Amino acid sequence: MTPAKQISKLSSSARSFILSGSRSIAASGSSRAHTDDEPCVSRRQQLQAEKRPSSLVLTPSVVPKKVDDSGRPSLLPQHVSSSHSVSYASAVIREEEEEASSAPIGDQILRAGVKAVNILSDLANCKLPSFDKGSEVSGLLPKAFMVDPTRPITSVKSSNVKALGRDLAKAYPGSSSKESKTRNPSRSFQGSKEAARGQHCNTRHVVENVCSVLKSFRWGPAAEEALEKLRDEKKIVMSPRQANQVLMQMNDYGNALGFFYWLKKQPDFKHDDYTYTTMLGSLGRAKQFGAINKLLNEMVREGVRPNTVTYNRLIHSYGRANYLKEAMNVFNQMQKSGCEPDRVTYCTLIDIHAKAGFLDIAMDIHQRMNAAGIETDTFTYSLIINCLGKAGRLPAAHKLFCEMVDKGCAPNLVTYNIMIDLHAKARNYQSALKLYRDMQSAGFKPDKVTYSIVMVVLGHCGYLEEAEGVFAKMEEENWVPDEPVYGLLVDLWGKAGNVEKAWRWYQAMLGAGVLPNVPTFNSLLSTFLRVNKISEASELLQNMLALGLRPSLQTYTLLLSCCTDGRSKLDMGFCGQLMARTGHPAHMFLLKMPSAGPDGQNVRSHANSFLDLMHSEDRESKRGLVDAVVDFLHKSGLKEEAGSVWEVAAQKNVFPDALREKSRSYWLINLHVMSEGTAVTALSRTLAWFRKQMLVSGCSPARIDIVTGWGRRSRVTGTSMVRQAVEELLNVFGSPFFTESGNSGCFVGCGEALNRWLVQSYVERMHLL
């Protein structure tokens, strides 16, 4: 068949860019983030377009004071303190600030709720589990327990958890009712009120002194010497309760682990289940599974039995690293050991599976929770509603919300925030605002998350000045704006194309003493790249690195997208330099991309290894990475390589909603969240898969719908670049797909005509067009 012209040709400089060894490409945390959302164009901006300067004008009020050697204003913050930065969940529990502030609004909502329930779970499980102190357990070394410390993270096997039940059964064959009532004297609060107050003051004094020392040193001989000096001079003898409070305040897992083992060497000190659990949680946040394995071995040897909170921390650690099989194995062994899962256990499992795209498993876990006698409360309803909404099933989420109300389970502020956020993301702005009014009518006052969501709604409706008014209202209500709030306004004005206003809000953030984080830098970087201000983008990235901030996957997607859409060879060269400067593994991934062999297996192996390396990244980040990479390869003429990368990503469930069977033999191919190069590649390889299945099994699809939606760069149905690319591809190959009346973004193929077309040999090679 005569090859048709390419759908979206890149200049020859693009091919030379990647083939000459300058494949310094970046991965992303969100799919082509600078074009992912519908542009936010202010209504007033449109009326004043003629008066606006075409280039960035830095007025004296927004120019930073510091000037670098070249005479240009520096983007580094001046005298910035992060002490005023307030996390949405800071009143609940301290967590990694970067992760909390970089998460989408919906995830921030759920994170706060999950942490609150975790605290309640800790309180509910405050009774120490009993064990036979006379039992000999020093010989127990469950080396298969959890993750082998000698292996890399990517080699985690499901079987690593299976020894848990056996080891615990050996270590704890049983205990008497008398033993079960034994409590740790260090945790006894009996006595007079005066003694209790004195004990509290002493505990606080000890914790403050030890934390002060640990914050002054990296763990090593100097830190040990300082602690021993403190112990000898002030006669400090730490209890497990005090040690646990110190561990909870430590953000550096290396320091925490050093302090933990230093305590083990102290006379008359013995770690309990609380200190072990806190230390395991710290290692889990750092994804140090080898150290977790070692510590669990020691925990069993020391006769300390894991409790419900311990298991919950382990499940959460594996889940946040996307090791879902390992998380489920911990859950199963937890039950075998006689430790009953609680609400936190089930909710954590629901959350991690839904975030990974396994919504059916998440809903099955919910049913198991109900079968275990744990009723669905407001928090659990909120969690499942959020899961359904994020999976694109907003009608089902809304139905569950109504069911919740009908059953007398009153929504709380978190529930309303989730529903408003889901409708906002679905561009149901009027519905979002109605829910906002309903929430206030129900007696709930907006919090900082609510205000942020409403600002997003107003921004996407084009009312950016009104969004700024909400910011002012938030301050009037004594909510202290933090980095995500300022970053949101930077992002909204940047997407509206108003570089000056985005820059002013960035300066306002610095003036308020709020330290910018990676997402804010990304928003400003996106703004500069959108208007082709490459030199400003370069300076911004340099200053981001100077602040010690590590570029995220979103950073790489922005740079890669700019390279893909490069207007000139000079632009592409600049982007290549910036991507190389970040030093991210994605740089080497594309630099070492092999030319496709006869069957493409070498490219698939290369992509498979890289995605294994990125295993612990969240699904949205990996989706953005794959979208950017496939789009770049496709538009650079490396279409065989693009197809192979897509196939690996599809096998790894990176795009879980790309193909779904709506009913028997009725399939849906969903392309609307993809860039045009990725959409064409995904459609071609999916249709080739249908052809292969027909030839092998003889079963034919009755109907296939191809959904292109509005596209990622369009604002009006029918003008989508994705839709145009898909339509051209289908027309070139004479497909029987057509658009139904009233839905120009959906192509439908059905019946015998579809089946006759699918068996044609050229369907297998469509992706090479």
Side-chain angles (χ1 to χ4, degrees), residues 745-763:
C746 179
F747 295 89
V748 178
C750 56
E752 186 61 29
L754 174 64
N755 296 330
R756 286 198 305 268
W757 181 78
L758 280 175
V759 297
Q760 300 299 317
S761 60
Y762 51 71
V763 173

mmCIF file of all heavy atoms in Angstrom, residues 745-763:
data_model
loop_
_atom_site.group_PDB
_atom_site.id
_atom_site.type_symbol
_atom_site.label_atom_id
_atom_site.label_comp_id
_atom_site.label_asym_id
_atom_site.label_seq_id
_atom_site.Cartn_x
_atom_site.Cartn_y
_atom_site.Cartn_z
ATOM 1 N N GLY A 745 -16.656 13.880 18.651
ATOM 2 C CA GLY A 745 -15.378 13.428 19.185
ATOM 3 C C GLY A 745 -15.276 11.928 19.332
ATOM 4 O O GLY A 745 -14.260 11.420 19.803
ATOM 5 N N CYS A 746 -16.320 11.171 18.922
ATOM 6 C CA CYS A 746 -16.322 9.718 19.075
ATOM 7 C C CYS A 746 -16.517 9.043 17.719
ATOM 8 O O CYS A 746 -17.485 9.326 17.009
ATOM 9 C CB CYS A 746 -17.429 9.294 20.036
ATOM 10 S SG CYS A 746 -17.554 7.510 20.277
ATOM 11 N N PHE A 747 -15.591 8.140 17.370
ATOM 12 C CA PHE A 747 -15.679 7.377 16.125
ATOM 13 C C PHE A 747 -16.194 5.981 16.450
ATOM 14 O O PHE A 747 -15.704 5.328 17.374
ATOM 15 C CB PHE A 747 -14.322 7.294 15.438
ATOM 16 C CG PHE A 747 -13.798 8.621 14.972
ATOM 17 C CD1 PHE A 747 -13.030 9.418 15.808
ATOM 18 C CD2 PHE A 747 -14.083 9.085 13.689
ATOM 19 C CE1 PHE A 747 -12.546 10.646 15.392
ATOM 20 C CE2 PHE A 747 -13.603 10.319 13.261
ATOM 21 C CZ PHE A 747 -12.837 11.101 14.110
ATOM 22 N N VAL A 748 -17.171 5.510 15.667
ATOM 23 C CA VAL A 748 -17.837 4.237 15.938
ATOM 24 C C VAL A 748 -17.634 3.286 14.768
ATOM 25 O O VAL A 748 -17.827 3.658 13.603
ATOM 26 C CB VAL A 748 -19.348 4.442 16.178
ATOM 27 C CG1 VAL A 748 -20.049 3.107 16.401
ATOM 28 C CG2 VAL A 748 -19.571 5.382 17.356
ATOM 29 N N GLY A 749 -17.249 2.056 15.081
ATOM 30 C CA GLY A 749 -17.158 0.989 14.086
ATOM 31 C C GLY A 749 -17.922 -0.216 14.588
ATOM 32 O O GLY A 749 -17.801 -0.565 15.770
ATOM 33 N N CYS A 750 -18.708 -0.862 13.737
ATOM 34 C CA CYS A 750 -19.505 -1.987 14.215
ATOM 35 C C CYS A 750 -19.874 -2.924 13.063
ATOM 36 O O CYS A 750 -19.746 -2.574 11.879
ATOM 37 C CB CYS A 750 -20.783 -1.494 14.899
ATOM 38 S SG CYS A 750 -21.810 -0.416 13.881
ATOM 39 N N GLY A 751 -20.297 -4.112 13.449
ATOM 40 C CA GLY A 751 -20.847 -5.066 12.506
ATOM 41 C C GLY A 751 -19.836 -5.727 11.588
ATOM 42 O O GLY A 751 -18.624 -5.721 11.814
ATOM 43 N N GLU A 752 -20.363 -6.281 10.514
ATOM 44 C CA GLU A 752 -19.552 -7.038 9.565
ATOM 45 C C GLU A 752 -18.523 -6.161 8.876
ATOM 46 O O GLU A 752 -17.404 -6.604 8.576
ATOM 47 C CB GLU A 752 -20.479 -7.694 8.533
ATOM 48 C CG GLU A 752 -19.768 -8.642 7.570
ATOM 49 C CD GLU A 752 -19.101 -9.812 8.280
ATOM 50 O OE1 GLU A 752 -19.590 -10.221 9.345
ATOM 51 O OE2 GLU A 752 -18.077 -10.301 7.763
ATOM 52 N N ALA A 753 -18.888 -4.908 8.605
ATOM 53 C CA ALA A 753 -17.941 -4.001 7.940
ATOM 54 C C ALA A 753 -16.671 -3.829 8.779
ATOM 55 O O ALA A 753 -15.553 -3.807 8.246
ATOM 56 C CB ALA A 753 -18.601 -2.654 7.694
ATOM 57 N N LEU A 754 -16.823 -3.693 10.081
ATOM 58 C CA LEU A 754 -15.671 -3.559 10.969
ATOM 59 C C LEU A 754 -14.814 -4.813 10.940
ATOM 60 O O LEU A 754 -13.580 -4.742 10.845
ATOM 61 C CB LEU A 754 -16.150 -3.279 12.399
ATOM 62 C CG LEU A 754 -15.074 -3.262 13.480
ATOM 63 C CD1 LEU A 754 -14.085 -2.121 13.252
ATOM 64 C CD2 LEU A 754 -15.693 -3.154 14.873
ATOM 65 N N ASN A 755 -15.451 -5.985 10.982
ATOM 66 C CA ASN A 755 -14.703 -7.239 11.020
ATOM 67 C C ASN A 755 -13.942 -7.495 9.723
ATOM 68 O O ASN A 755 -12.809 -7.985 9.733
ATOM 69 C CB ASN A 755 -15.651 -8.403 11.313
ATOM 70 C CG ASN A 755 -16.277 -8.283 12.698
ATOM 71 O OD1 ASN A 755 -15.679 -7.735 13.615
ATOM 72 N ND2 ASN A 755 -17.502 -8.781 12.847
ATOM 73 N N ARG A 756 -14.566 -7.171 8.585
ATOM 74 C CA ARG A 756 -13.866 -7.348 7.303
ATOM 75 C C ARG A 756 -12.646 -6.440 7.217
ATOM 76 O O ARG A 756 -11.621 -6.827 6.659
ATOM 77 C CB ARG A 756 -14.822 -7.040 6.140
ATOM 78 C CG ARG A 756 -15.858 -8.108 5.875
ATOM 79 C CD ARG A 756 -16.458 -7.955 4.475
ATOM 80 N NE ARG A 756 -17.004 -6.605 4.274
ATOM 81 C CZ ARG A 756 -18.273 -6.276 4.527
ATOM 82 N NH1 ARG A 756 -19.126 -7.191 5.002
ATOM 83 N NH2 ARG A 756 -18.697 -5.041 4.309
ATOM 84 N N TRP A 757 -12.767 -5.243 7.770
ATOM 85 C CA TRP A 757 -11.651 -4.301 7.705
ATOM 86 C C TRP A 757 -10.516 -4.705 8.656
ATOM 87 O O TRP A 757 -9.340 -4.599 8.315
ATOM 88 C CB TRP A 757 -12.146 -2.901 8.061
ATOM 89 C CG TRP A 757 -11.067 -1.853 8.010
ATOM 90 C CD1 TRP A 757 -10.552 -1.253 6.895
ATOM 91 C CD2 TRP A 757 -10.363 -1.296 9.123
ATOM 92 N NE1 TRP A 757 -9.573 -0.354 7.245
ATOM 93 C CE2 TRP A 757 -9.448 -0.360 8.616
ATOM 94 C CE3 TRP A 757 -10.439 -1.488 10.499
ATOM 95 C CZ2 TRP A 757 -8.598 0.383 9.424
ATOM 96 C CZ3 TRP A 757 -9.596 -0.762 11.321
ATOM 97 C CH2 TRP A 757 -8.692 0.157 10.783
ATOM 98 N N LEU A 758 -10.850 -5.201 9.841
ATOM 99 C CA LEU A 758 -9.827 -5.527 10.836
ATOM 100 C C LEU A 758 -8.894 -6.646 10.388
ATOM 101 O O LEU A 758 -7.728 -6.687 10.790
ATOM 102 C CB LEU A 758 -10.486 -5.928 12.160
ATOM 103 C CG LEU A 758 -10.976 -4.787 13.063
ATOM 104 C CD1 LEU A 758 -11.708 -5.347 14.268
ATOM 105 C CD2 LEU A 758 -9.808 -3.904 13.518
ATOM 106 N N VAL A 759 -9.367 -7.561 9.564
ATOM 107 C CA VAL A 759 -8.515 -8.688 9.163
ATOM 108 C C VAL A 759 -7.534 -8.312 8.061
ATOM 109 O O VAL A 759 -6.680 -9.135 7.687
ATOM 110 C CB VAL A 759 -9.368 -9.892 8.707
ATOM 111 C CG1 VAL A 759 -10.210 -10.406 9.852
ATOM 112 C CG2 VAL A 759 -10.243 -9.529 7.512
ATOM 113 N N GLN A 760 -7.620 -7.088 7.526
ATOM 114 C CA GLN A 760 -6.687 -6.671 6.483
ATOM 115 C C GLN A 760 -5.263 -6.591 7.045
ATOM 116 O O GLN A 760 -5.056 -6.152 8.176
ATOM 117 C CB GLN A 760 -7.090 -5.311 5.911
ATOM 118 C CG GLN A 760 -8.476 -5.285 5.291
ATOM 119 C CD GLN A 760 -8.599 -6.262 4.126
ATOM 120 O OE1 GLN A 760 -7.696 -6.370 3.286
ATOM 121 N NE2 GLN A 760 -9.719 -6.983 4.069
ATOM 122 N N SER A 761 -4.292 -6.999 6.261
ATOM 123 C CA SER A 761 -2.903 -7.074 6.743
ATOM 124 C C SER A 761 -2.330 -5.713 7.128
ATOM 125 O O SER A 761 -1.482 -5.614 8.028
ATOM 126 C CB SER A 761 -2.025 -7.730 5.675
ATOM 127 O OG SER A 761 -2.058 -6.974 4.478
ATOM 128 N N TYR A 762 -2.777 -4.642 6.464
ATOM 129 C CA TYR A 762 -2.182 -3.337 6.753
ATOM 130 C C TYR A 762 -2.558 -2.803 8.137
ATOM 131 O O TYR A 762 -1.926 -1.875 8.648
ATOM 132 C CB TYR A 762 -2.562 -2.307 5.685
ATOM 133 C CG TYR A 762 -4.035 -2.186 5.376
ATOM 134 C CD1 TYR A 762 -4.931 -1.618 6.277
ATOM 135 C CD2 TYR A 762 -4.537 -2.634 4.148
ATOM 136 C CE1 TYR A 762 -6.266 -1.503 5.980
ATOM 137 C CE2 TYR A 762 -5.887 -2.536 3.851
ATOM 138 C CZ TYR A 762 -6.757 -1.956 4.773
ATOM 139 O OH TYR A 762 -8.089 -1.846 4.485
ATOM 140 N N VAL A 763 -3.575 -3.386 8.772
ATOM 141 C CA VAL A 763 -3.942 -2.959 10.124
ATOM 142 C C VAL A 763 -2.803 -3.221 11.099
ATOM 143 O O VAL A 763 -2.604 -2.478 12.064
ATOM 144 C CB VAL A 763 -5.233 -3.665 10.576
ATOM 145 C CG1 VAL A 763 -5.545 -3.368 12.039
ATOM 146 C CG2 VAL A 763 -6.400 -3.246 9.693
#
